């Protein structure tokens, strides 16, 4: 039914009933029950669905007895404003008589409300002052002009033998809803609380408290000293209970108590006199927390049950637990919640140790990530290293700093302008125009169109034609946005709105969970035409059962990161057509059957000429994978300028008996030696036994200069520390020493590409690193076909971002190294 029928039946110049007012402010879906003394006394039962109240006339009123079915005749929809109506409808008007409010509150349902109504069975939960718990509306006569339903109470703790009429008196001064009294914590639990380490007697009030915050990390920490929890996708929510009365707060101390009667009721049922609890408000949809569904439920667009997931207890029954180890705090919280089960309270369980397994499980279930916490740490407000969050999705929070005009059929505004903190200022990072509901578009338009100005309120790098006509506002609102990395000008790529963070202010972003604002690298390929993989089930890595299709899938996933290091460079590949357990061979010339791979005619140092492979697209590289390529080894120069080096590689190859710590020290020593000569360098784990120190050159240097320079560096180390380094390829001399292989620097010489697989057991991958990651690496083959995609999903930027823009000139040093070893 539409509101047309409601309007048709009423003359608003004669009745005090409200006329529909149009768009409403976003709020939880409400219900109201009104006692209507009309020609026949009845109760009007109304549930908000969208912008109207679905309405039923219940002659005898609701019964609290699940065995009693009360007839409910569906009538016309009413406007949501009707929920506040009380008073007399004049004689002669439709529904003449006295209307009083019996009960009101919010309601929710775990399934799609429209589908349930169409199917004829609506299951829902009420959170009123008098009507609470589970209820059902069941249709009995769908063909009737006024469909008849049955209103039935669900079997739960709020069921009783009471009738609605039992709660009436002359003034409609109704007593509280019958309910089961909350049982307080048991004696054993109280003894456990009193014995908790470092627990101190203390009193608290009901005010908000400062939460502990997590710092963003790239990898889960190792060891049994860490607890790993799911990273819930919702609103952080703090609960203070004082004298048995809960109050709810957002992380920035905005009170939410009145908005969440369902959560307040569940907390009250715990029977605690005083407490401080920490958790996340979520909505579960399709088996996992869904931030969009949470926002839609809070705004009244959906009617899903809210769940408060609790992961910490900071104060309990007179004891301050801020110095008590987290593991013990959670050991108190879990049995407390288990003793008072509620669909609206959930314990956030954890896995101890094995952070990689916890993150793998979260990834497999398509969760947002995990939060890793030190098991022995107390609760410390603010951001620190005791709590680390490792995210799967590439999303972040930005301040809303303006909007662009609408285009086409769009109304209100075209897109939101976004910024992030940058050295005490705000830096423009782009605009987001997708992911908005019609309601949110209108809400933001009403808010922003009144306050825009023509002068930017943030720093802007470069000129963006799309900003012509933009209006700017001071940073206040916070938007969370999905995106696919950042472009070269520091602007978001393919952003889509995840939601507005009504629990945060733009100033909260200055306390970022990121140690630094690192830009994700610009991706070079978004769509790759399909390349058919023959024999996809062929096992390439017998030790782990990895198939050819899985190898191809890996390269497709990392290709945007791999391509910048191989595009336009002569290329050699290691092919293992039958897997690494069979014959593998080096290939640098054209293979019969290749159609997408390019070739270039080049002379080698020996003087012989050949058609060398190179790739100009991701499609071409995947074609090589189809032809059995596992490893990719590019030259240090380009097809366009093969005689001049633009990258040098110092390959540190440990001999037998060399410990990992010595290899780490060697890489740093090479870096420092190059640094003293004025050269920046980059680090790569080879996926084999060693490490690469890579030095970019711009402008490129002739190989006649580059190779002697590389040899001079190697021999300088070998001469200074002969017990530690060797510059000779003689394997018999390598025991206990590190071979500094400079021979990878020459016309036709190659080195493994970043993000290339290795044809070795375990499917290791060569991975570029930041220098500050070296101490945590542990071994050069740590990264594999399994964990590299996860690493890339968490990175804000390629560790080698900007390597091709570094200007350092080797030609100016040529006079120092005009002979080998000089």
């Amino acid at each position: 039914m539409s509101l047309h029928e409601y309007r048709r039946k009423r003359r608003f110049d004669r009745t005090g009933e409200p006329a529909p007012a149009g768009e409403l402010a976003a709020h939880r879906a409400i219900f109201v029950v009104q006692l209507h003394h009309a020609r026949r006394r009845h109760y009007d039962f109304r549930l908000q669905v969208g912008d109207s109240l679905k309405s039923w006339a219940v002659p005898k009123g609701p019964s609290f007895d699940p065995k009693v079915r009360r007839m409910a005749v569906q009538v016309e929809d009413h406007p949501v404003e009707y929920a506040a109506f009380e008073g007399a409808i004049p004689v002669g008007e439709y529904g003449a008589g006295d209307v009083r409010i019996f009960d009101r509150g919010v309601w929710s349902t775990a399934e799609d409300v429209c589908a349930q109504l169409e199917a004829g069975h609506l299951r829902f939960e009420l959170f009123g002052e008098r009507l609470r718990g589970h209820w059902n509306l069941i249709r009995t006569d769908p063909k009737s002009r006024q469909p008849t339903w049955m209103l039935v109470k669900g079997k739960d703790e709020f069921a009783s033998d009471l009738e609605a009429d039992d709660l009436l008196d002359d003034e409609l001064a109704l007593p509280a809803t019958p309910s089961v009294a909350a049982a307080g914590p048991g004696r054993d639990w109280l003894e456990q609380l009193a014995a908790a380490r470092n627990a101190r007697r203390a009193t608290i009030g009901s005010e908000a408290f400062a939460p502990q915050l997590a710092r963003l990390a790239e990898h889960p920490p190792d060891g049994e000293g860490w607890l790993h929890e799911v990273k819930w996708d919702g609103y952080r929510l703090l609960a203070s209970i004082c004298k048995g009365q809960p109050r709810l707060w957002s992380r920035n101390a905005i009170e939410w108590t009145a908005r969440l009667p369902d959560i307040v009721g569940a907390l009250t049922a715990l029977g605690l006199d005083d407490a401080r609890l920490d958790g996340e408000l979520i909505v579960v949809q399709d088996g996992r927390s869904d931030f969009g569904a949470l926002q839609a439920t809070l705004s009244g667009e959906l009617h899903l049950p809210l769940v408060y997931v609790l992961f910490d207890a900071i104060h309990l029954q007179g004891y301050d637990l801020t110095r008590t180890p987290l593991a013990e705090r959670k050991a108190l919280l879990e049995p407390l919640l288990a003793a008072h089960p509620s669909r609206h309270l959930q314990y956030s369980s954890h896995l101890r140790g094995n952070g990689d397994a916890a993150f793998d499980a979260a990834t497999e279930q398509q969760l947002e990530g995990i939060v890793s916490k030190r098991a022995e740490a107390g609760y410390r407000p603010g951001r620190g290293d005791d709590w680390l969050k490792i995210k799967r999705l590439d999303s972040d929070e930005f301040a809303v700093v303006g909007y662009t005009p609408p285009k086409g059929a769009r109304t209100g505004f075209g897109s939101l302008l976004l910024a992030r903190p940058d050295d005490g200022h705000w830096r423009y990072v782009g605009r987001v125009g997708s992911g908005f509901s019609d309601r949110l578009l209108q809400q933001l338009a009403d808010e922003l169109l009144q306050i825009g100005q023509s002068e930017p309120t943030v720093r802007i790098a470069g000129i963006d034609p799309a900003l012509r006509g933009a209006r700017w506002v001071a940073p206040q609102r916070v938007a969370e946005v999905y995106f696919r990395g950042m472009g070269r000008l520091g602007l978001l790529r393919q952003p889509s709105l995840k939601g507005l963070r009504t629990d945060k202010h733009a100033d909260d972003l200055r306390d970022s969970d990121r140690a630094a604002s690192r830009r994700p690298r610009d991706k070079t390929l978004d769509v790759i035409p399909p390349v058919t993989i023959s024999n996809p089930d062929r096992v390439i890595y017998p030790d782990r059962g990895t198939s050819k299709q899985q190898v191809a899938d890996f390269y497709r996933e990392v290709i945007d990161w791999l391509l910048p290091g191989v595009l336009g460079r002569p290329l050699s590949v290691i092919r293992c057509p039958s897997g690494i357990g069979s014959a593998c061979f080096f290939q640098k010339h054209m293979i019969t059957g290749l159609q997408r791979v390019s070739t270039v005619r080049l002379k080698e140092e020996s003087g012989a000429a050949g058609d060398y492979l190179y790739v100009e697209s991701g499609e071409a590289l995947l074609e090589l994978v189809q032809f059995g390529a596992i490893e990719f080894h590019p030259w240090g120069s380009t097809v366009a300028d093969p005689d001049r080096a633009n990258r040098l590689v110092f390959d540190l190859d440990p001999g037998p008996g060399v410990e990992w710590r010595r290899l780490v020290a060697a890489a740093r020593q090479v870096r420092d030696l190059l640094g003293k000569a004025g050269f920046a360098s980059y680090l790569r784990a080879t996926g084999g036994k060693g490490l690469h120190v890579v030095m970019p050159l711009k402008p490129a240097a002739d190989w006649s200069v580059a190779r002697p320079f590389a040899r001079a560096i190697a021999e300088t180390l070998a001469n200074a520390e002969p017990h530690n380094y060797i510059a000779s390829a003689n394997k018999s001399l390598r025991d206990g020493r590190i071979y500094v292989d400079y021979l990878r620097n020459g016309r036709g010489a190659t080195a493994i590409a970043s993000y290339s697989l290795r044809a070795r057991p375990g499917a290791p991958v060569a991975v570029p690193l930041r220098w500050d990651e070296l101490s945590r690496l542990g071994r050069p083959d740590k990264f594999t076909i399994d964990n590299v995609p996860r690493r890339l999903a968490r990175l804000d930027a390629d560790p080698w971002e900007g390597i091709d823009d570094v200007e350092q000139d080797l030609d100016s040093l040529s006079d120092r190294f005009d002979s080998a070893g000089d």
Side-chain angles (χ1 to χ4, degrees):
M1 298 183 185
S2 69
L3 293 179
H4 169 76
E5 189 69 8
Y6 173 84
R7 291 187 180 95
R8 185 185 68 80
K9 292 181 176 181
R10 288 162 179 82
R11 295 182 289 184
F12 297 110
D13 58 338
R14 299 186 183 184
T15 178
E17 296 168 283
E23 281 292 316
L24 300 172
H27 53 66
R28 293 284 302 280
I30 63 171
F31 82 91
V32 64
V33 178
Q34 291 155 317
L35 181 59
H36 192 172
H37 291 277
R39 182 168 56 90
R40 292 181 180 177
R41 175 181 174 275
H42 64 274
Y43 291 80
D44 287 318
F45 186 87
R46 313 188 196 279
L47 300 174
Q48 181 189 355
V49 178
D51 291 335
S52 64
L53 297 171
K54 295 291 181 186
S55 299
W56 292 261
V58 186
K60 294 185 179 181
S63 172
F64 293 87
D65 187 345
K67 298 189 296 294
V68 175
R69 294 187 167 210
R70 284 287 153 76
M71 183 175 69
V73 179
Q74 189 169 3
V75 298
E76 74 274 12
D77 292 0
H78 284 51
V80 174
E81 298 91 339
Y82 205 94
F85 175 68
E86 287 187 301
I89 301 175
V91 175
E93 299 304 311
Y94 175 78
D98 186 60
V99 177
R100 301 289 300 277
I101 292 177
F102 173 79
D103 195 17
R104 57 186 164 190
V106 299
W107 74 283
S108 68
T109 178
E111 302 173 43
D112 181 81
V113 61
C114 295
Q116 289 185 81
L117 288 171
E118 184 176 353
H121 191 170
L122 178 62
R123 303 171 182 86
F124 56 98
E125 191 170 1
L126 299 178
F127 305 96
E129 296 178 6
R130 300 165 182 85
L131 299 180
R132 302 189 68 188
H134 299 281
W135 295 78
N136 297 269
L137 275 166
I138 305 168
R139 189 170 59 212
T140 61
D141 185 8
K143 296 182 180 180
S144 172
R145 188 174 63 87
Q146 284 189 303
T148 302
W149 301 64
M150 291 294 176
L151 178 65
V152 185
K153 179 72 186 75
K155 296 179 180 179
D156 56 25
E157 67 269 32
F158 300 105
S160 71
D161 59 359
L162 287 174
E163 302 290 338
D165 283 356
D166 294 334
L167 304 178
L168 299 178
D169 59 22
D170 292 341
E171 300 288 330
L172 276 183
L174 305 179
T177 306
S179 63
V180 177
R187 177 176 296 179
D188 291 344
W189 184 87
L190 290 171
E191 291 176 355
Q192 181 186 356
L193 172 61
R197 275 186 289 169
N198 303 324
R200 300 173 297 169
R201 280 287 186 182
T203 59
I204 60 169
S206 60
E207 66 277 0
F209 57 92
Q212 181 159 348
L213 305 175
R215 190 181 303 283
L216 189 66
E218 292 184 0
H219 309 286
D222 296 326
E224 292 297 311
W226 291 88
L227 308 181
H228 308 282
E229 302 173 353
V230 168
K231 185 182 187 302
W232 302 102
D233 196 7
Y235 283 134
R236 186 75 173 274
L237 196 65
L238 308 172
S240 294
I241 301 176
C242 184
K243 298 180 180 179
Q245 298 298 314
R247 296 178 71 184
L248 299 173
W249 307 89
S250 70
R251 55 167 279 179
N252 51 358
I254 296 175
E255 187 163 8
W256 280 44
T257 308
R259 298 183 67 184
L260 305 171
D262 33 9
I263 307 301
V264 170
L267 290 172
T268 302
L270 295 177
L272 295 172
D273 299 314
D274 54 79
R276 283 181 172 174
L277 306 174
D278 196 351
E280 191 93 356
L281 182 70
I282 67 168
V283 160
V284 177
Q285 194 167 45
D286 297 327
R288 54 184 177 269
S289 56
D290 187 317
F291 184 74
L294 171 63
Q295 288 197 313
T297 298
L298 292 173
S299 69
E301 295 177 54
L302 294 179
H303 310 279
L304 298 170
L306 294 175
V307 180
Y308 187 20
V309 183
L310 289 164
F311 47 68
D312 215 331
I314 301 98
H315 185 103
L316 288 170
Q317 295 297 82
Y319 286 93
D320 177 0
L321 303 179
T322 55
R323 298 184 182 180
T324 299
L326 171 64
E328 292 190 35
R329 300 198 304 270
K330 295 197 71 177
L332 289 164
L333 179 61
E334 184 176 15
L336 174 67
L337 297 178
H340 302 83
S342 167
R343 69 183 302 200
H344 300 291
L345 296 182
Q346 179 179 326
Y347 172 71
S348 183
S349 58
H350 60 262
L351 177 68
R352 184 155 193 159
N354 204 345
D356 286 337
F359 188 81
D360 288 345
T363 300
E364 183 177 345
Q365 298 173 45
Q366 296 185 318
L367 304 178
E368 192 176 3
I370 63 173
V371 179
S372 302
K373 303 176 181 180
R374 293 187 191 274
E376 293 297 305
Y379 190 93
R380 301 180 179 90
R383 203 176 302 282
D385 292 325
D386 288 341
W387 289 13
L388 303 174
K389 60 182 178 182
I390 302 94
K391 300 175 69 174
R392 182 184 70 88
L393 298 179
D394 197 5
S395 68
D396 204 352
E397 295 167 354
F398 304 92
V400 176
V401 294
Y403 56 91
T404 61
K407 293 182 179 180
R410 190 81 169 253
T411 60
F413 61 88
S415 58
L416 293 181
L417 307 180
L418 305 174
R420 69 177 358 158
D422 183 25
D423 295 330
H425 301 276
W426 290 95
R427 178 170 58 83
Y428 173 69
V429 295
R431 49 202 171 87
V432 58
S434 62
F436 296 87
S437 66
D438 291 341
R439 182 193 293 268
L440 186 56
L441 271 172
Q442 187 60 52
Q443 175 188 339
L444 287 171
D446 291 345
E447 175 183 327
L448 296 175
L449 297 183
Q450 308 299 319
I451 57 176
Q453 65 181 50
S454 58
E455 285 298 314
T457 55
V458 298
R459 290 178 171 178
I460 304 174
I463 299 174
D464 184 351
L467 296 182
R468 294 193 184 104
R471 306 290 289 175
W472 302 85
V473 301
Q476 293 184 353
R477 283 276 204 168
V478 174
E480 189 164 2
V481 174
Y482 293 118
F483 58 97
R484 294 192 63 189
M486 307 284 272
R488 297 191 185 279
L489 295 178
L491 302 182
L492 298 170
R493 286 174 53 90
Q494 301 181 26
S496 175
L497 184 73
K498 179 180 180 182
L500 289 181
R501 301 299 311 221
T502 58
D503 58 332
K504 293 185 179 182
H505 187 277
D507 288 341
D508 294 330
L509 302 185
R510 296 186 184 275
D511 177 23
S512 173
D513 57 9
R514 301 179 183 273
S517 180
R518 300 187 300 270
R519 285 193 307 157
R521 60 181 291 279
D522 184 32
K523 293 190 174 183
T524 59
L525 187 68
D526 291 326
V527 178
I528 303 171
V531 174
T532 302
I533 302 297
S534 63
N535 302 308
D537 297 327
R538 175 175 291 160
V539 175
I540 301 300
Y541 289 91
D543 62 305
R544 48 178 291 127
T546 300
S547 68
K548 184 179 179 182
Q549 184 64 58
Q550 288 172 308
V551 169
D553 290 344
F554 168 81
Y555 275 118
R556 178 176 285 274
E557 191 163 2
V558 305
I559 205 162
D560 282 324
W561 303 75
L562 187 155
L563 282 179
V566 299
L567 284 177
R569 293 178 183 272
L571 193 64
S572 297
V573 298
I574 292 181
R575 295 175 62 208
C576 304
S578 299
I580 68 168
S582 301
C584 296
F585 47 90
F586 215 63
Q587 182 100 33
K588 56 186 178 182
H589 299 308
M590 192 58 178
I591 308 169
T592 301
L594 289 176
Q595 297 178 350
R596 300 171 174 89
V597 177
S598 303
T599 61
V600 61
R601 190 77 172 171
L602 295 174
K603 285 187 178 181
E604 301 175 4
E605 286 186 315
S606 64
D611 293 325
Y612 274 80
L613 304 171
Y614 74 99
V615 297
E616 297 181 287
S617 68
E619 184 185 9
L621 188 137
L622 289 178
E623 186 180 44
L624 286 171
V625 174
Q626 152 60 15
F627 275 72
I630 304 296
E631 296 189 7
F632 296 89
H633 296 251
W635 284 26
S637 56
T638 65
V639 168
D641 192 7
D643 296 322
R644 295 174 61 81
N646 62 6
R647 284 190 188 178
L648 299 182
V649 176
F650 298 91
D651 182 2
L652 303 179
D653 185 2
V658 174
E659 299 174 349
W660 168 249
R661 60 178 179 81
R662 288 178 56 197
L663 191 63
V664 170
R668 290 172 175 158
Q669 195 167 358
V670 173
R671 175 196 63 184
D672 294 344
L673 183 59
L674 294 173
K676 289 179 180 177
F679 298 111
S681 58
Y682 294 76
L683 178 68
R684 175 165 57 213
T686 63
K689 296 186 300 179
L691 296 170
H692 284 173
V693 178
V694 180
M695 174 180 151
L697 292 172
K698 186 179 181 181
D702 193 273
W703 283 117
S704 64
V705 174
R707 181 162 179 159
F709 172 79
R711 179 177 179 179
I713 293 294
E715 292 185 346
T716 296
L717 290 168
N719 293 334
E721 300 182 32
H723 63 286
N724 200 28
Y725 297 106
I726 183 173
S728 168
N730 191 334
K731 291 187 177 181
S732 64
L733 302 177
R734 293 190 196 176
D735 282 1
R737 293 194 282 184
I738 299 169
Y739 172 40
V740 185
D741 183 0
Y742 65 88
L743 297 176
R744 298 193 179 277
N745 302 292
R747 195 178 188 282
T750 65
I752 190 69
S754 295
Y755 305 109
S756 171
L757 279 164
R758 305 305 305 267
R760 300 167 180 258
V765 179
V767 172
L769 304 167
R770 301 190 312 271
W771 279 104
D772 62 7
E773 293 182 285
L774 180 56
S775 60
R776 303 190 301 273
L777 182 61
R779 62 181 192 273
D781 59 352
K782 173 180 178 178
F783 296 105
T784 69
I785 193 174
D786 297 321
N787 58 29
V788 165
R790 297 201 303 267
R791 169 180 168 83
L792 299 184
R794 297 193 296 269
L795 283 179
D796 294 324
D798 190 321
W800 285 15
E801 182 183 25
I803 188 172
D804 293 325
D805 298 325
V806 176
E807 296 187 1
Q808 44 193 22
D809 187 356
L810 195 60
D811 288 341
S812 63
L813 299 179
S814 60
D815 59 329
R816 304 185 196 178
F817 307 107
D818 54 8
S819 63
D822 187 18

